[in-house]
Amino acid sequence: MLRVLVMVSGGGTNLQAIIDAVKSGEVTNTELVGVISNNYGVKSLDRAALAGIPAEVCSAKDFASRDEFNDRLLERVDSYKPDLIVLAGFLVVIPEKMIDKYENKIINIHPSLIPSFCGTGYYGLKVHEAALARGVKVSGATVHFVDKGTDTGPIILQKAVEVKKGDTPEVLQRRIMEEAEWKLLPQAIDMIANGKL
Ligand code: GAR
C-alpha cells in the first residue's frame, strides 16, 4: 500500500476527489495516511475529518521565522512516513530540505497547461485570470513532480479544457476542476501506487 500524505491550503475539492477515488476503488493500493493544511478553519480539514483521515494545521503564522516553520513542516511530514506527498492546492513554497529528502515523491496539481500560466505568482484564480486576459481558447491542468523550481518538475499528466466565450475566472476554474483536475490527480496517484510510472 502506498502511504499518501495530502497537503492543502483551502477548500480541498481535489482532496475530496482523491478521497472519493480511493473509496470507490478507482485508486487502488493507496492509503491516505494524513492531511496537512497550512491554514486554520478551511473546508479541507472537515473533509479529512469526515473521511476519518488524521489532519492537522502547520501554519507559518505560528512561527517567528520561515526557517522554524520549514523545520516544523518537515518534521510533521516525516511523522506520517509517506511514500508519496500530494500537493492538492497547497499554496506554500516547499522547503528545499523537503524536496531533497522526498525527491520524486512529491506531486503537484497546477490549473493550467504547463508551461503556460505557471511559475511564481500563478496560483488559484490568478492562473485563470491570466489565461482569460491572454485570450487563450484552451487551458487545462497538469500533474507534475515537484523539483526546486516553481512548476518546473517533470510532467506526469495533462488534460486540455476548452475556454468558452463569456467565461469568468471562477467559471473557468470550476470547468477545469471538473473536467481535468479531479480526474488527473487520482489517476496519477493510481499510476504511482501500481508501478505504472
Ligand atoms: C486548484 O485549482 C489547484 O489546481 C490550485 O489551487 C486550487 C485548489 O483548489 N493549485 C495551484 O494553483 C498551485 N499552483 P481545492 O482546494 O479546491 O483543491
Side-chain angles (χ1 to χ4, degrees), residues 104-107 143-147 152-156 192 197:
N104 296 325
K105 289 185 175 169
I106 310 176
I107 64 172
V143 180
H144 64 92
F145 284 109
V146 173
D147 66 7
T152 53
I155 290 172
I156 302 169
I192 292 167
L197 208 69

Side-chain angles (χ1 to χ4, degrees), residues 109-173:
I109 179 97
H110 183 77
S112 75
L113 293 174
I114 289 175
S116 291
F117 311 114
C118 63
T120 307
Y122 287 99
Y123 58 88
L125 267 185
K126 288 180 193 290
V127 177
H128 308 295
E129 284 163 5
L132 291 175
R134 186 63 185 84
V136 294
K137 304 302 176 205
V138 171
S139 190
T142 304
V143 180
H144 64 92
F145 284 109
V146 173
D147 66 7
K148 286 181 184 161
T150 307
D151 302 327
T152 53
I155 290 172
I156 302 169
L157 292 169
Q158 287 190 304
K159 190 165 190 287
V161 174
E162 193 188 347
V163 178
K164 294 186 179 166
K165 211 171 157 218
D167 272 354
T168 62
E170 290 80 6
V171 167
L172 180 59
Q173 178 182 53

Side-chain angles (χ1 to χ4, degrees), residues 10-15 44 88-91 108-111 122-124 127-128 151 173 177 181:
T13 64
N14 279 286
L15 167 65
S44 289
F90 187 62
L91 307 180
N108 179 50
I109 179 97
H110 183 77
Y122 287 99
Y123 58 88
V127 177
H128 308 295
D151 302 327
Q173 178 182 53
M177 284 175 157
E181 295 189 43

Side-chain angles (χ1 to χ4, degrees), residues 167-186:
D167 272 354
T168 62
E170 290 80 6
V171 167
L172 180 59
Q173 178 182 53
R174 181 76 191 183
R175 187 180 311 115
I176 289 174
M177 284 175 157
E178 283 175 356
E179 293 183 14
E181 295 189 43
W182 299 342
K183 295 177 182 162
L184 290 188
L185 199 49

